Amino acid sequence: MNNLVETMINLGLGKPAPLKRYGGEATFFSGNLHLGAGAGARCLEAVCRNLKDADVRLSYDGGTEVAGAINAAANQHGLNAEVLAGNGEPRFNALVFDGSGLSDTTQLQAAYHFFQPRLRQLANSGRVVILAAPHKAAASAEAAAAQRALEGLSRSIGKEIGKKGATSQLVVVPERAEDNLDSSLQFLLSPKSAYVNAQVIRLRPAATASSPDWKQPLAGKVALVTGASRGIGESIARTLARDGAKVLGLDVEPAAADLQRVMAEIGGDSLTADITAEDAPAAIAERLKSLGGADIVVHNAGVTRDKTLANMPEHWWQMTIDINLTAAQRINRALLESDAINAGGRIVGVSSMNGIAGQRGQANYAASKAGVIGYVEYMADELAARDITINAVAPGFIETQMTAAIPLMTREVGRRLNSLSQGGQPVDVAEAIAFFASPASSGVSGNILRVCGQNWLGA
């Protein structure tokens, strides 16, 4: 045990920085935020539109070709933007760089000049957000290269600042999607994204909703959560209820007592069902319609049956695929065909890092979770016509009863295999799902958001 600890310290994996998680703060951001941009930036007005509702001290670097544009955007929304000189104080709680207008690789120098002197001033649990344009839709190869470079920059910054408990993200904003930035920017700047690091959120143009109340964004919404009796599912149910939703929790008969307890504590309703049963989709649809239809559907229920593929019995394979993948598709089909999902609905699946990177002894589980990704990416376009979004989270090492049963040394290694050098909490997954569920997330669809602290394995 001592040798393990010594090895981790020698690898720079000492005691991890505590992560600042959401504790009921009145606004999504409080502190010092330094704003920068490259030539042709398109998102400055949208950033400042959001910051007017934050408790922010806004600053920018004078003497740059975009300084006037930053100041104008700040003034438009009543923000007092301060010009900073030199590399001294203050400490920054967030650095935001708008690179959406970069049109050739020489302009990447603006990103260097913005981040190089300021990263060392980033506070613990700080936030870095980079805004980019879709590189595949660029007007030239040079512009595509510049835009794709920002993703590599963001992921690398995440690895450099993770030891502070700080995170770095990229938001890809197509033209005409600037008004859809709000929910992503607010989530990524807030403590709700504590265990999300080095991720890419891709927006699409969509109708925008007025920004909901920060503390009760889901007020009046009805949410279905499968596998809601314990662990991550329980945390999802509690978080959606905290945000104002009426939760219908679903689980199997052996979990009925725990399910009823959780639902009683959050003012939700219970439904006991085997989601793989032939009649389950119709029963779920009928129950949701009695509640006025679903606004949020979270497919969290899942199982593991671990063995190497060469030694795996067929029924273990089939059970895992049925519960983790096929059942959710059948339920969605029934809800859509019966109009049990309301316009503006949100569907969220739960994938896994193992669905991205694979895992020895989990071929069935990895296949099912990779299938969730394929389904979400395909359905995003199909559901857009119905004003319904679909996304998925892919958790990494999350501290649950299941991981607590892993041998100590294996568990400790698993915790450290990410840039934040620690395991996540069930609430970290729940916060990401609540972000997808927000009425303001109409432009967020087809995304797979890893909640893994920037796991070193996988894409």
Side-chain angles (χ1 to χ4, degrees), residues 44 53 70 105-106 121-122 128 152 212 231 301 342 351 359 386 455:
L44 292 173
D53 296 324
I70 295 173
T105 51
T106 64
Q121 295 172 261
L122 189 66
V128 170
N342 297 325
S351 181
Q359 181 62 273
R386 300 183 62 158
N455 196 288

Side-chain angles (χ1 to χ4, degrees), residues 413-435:
V413 170
R415 287 170 173 154
R416 303 301 183 115
L417 290 178
N418 62 76
S419 294
L420 299 178
S421 299
Q422 58 196 288
Q425 299 297 322
V427 71
D428 297 321
V429 181
E431 297 286 20
I433 289 173
F435 152 61

Side-chain angles (χ1 to χ4, degrees), residues 104-119:
D104 69 65
T105 51
T106 64
Q107 295 176 343
L108 288 166
Q109 191 174 40
Y112 171 83
H113 287 306
F114 176 75
F115 284 113
Q116 195 275 336
R118 301 301 185 188
L119 273 181

Side-chain angles (χ1 to χ4, degrees), residues 223-229 237 247-251 259 263 268-272:
L224 170 70
V225 180
T226 67
S229 66
V247 177
L248 174 62
L250 182 152
D251 221 314
L259 177 65
M263 291 303 111
D269 291 339
S270 301
L271 177 60
T272 302

Side-chain angles (χ1 to χ4, degrees), residues 262-283:
V262 173
M263 291 303 111
E265 290 174 359
I266 65 173
D269 291 339
S270 301
L271 177 60
T272 302
D274 174 358
I275 58 173
T276 66
E278 190 68 29
D279 61 349

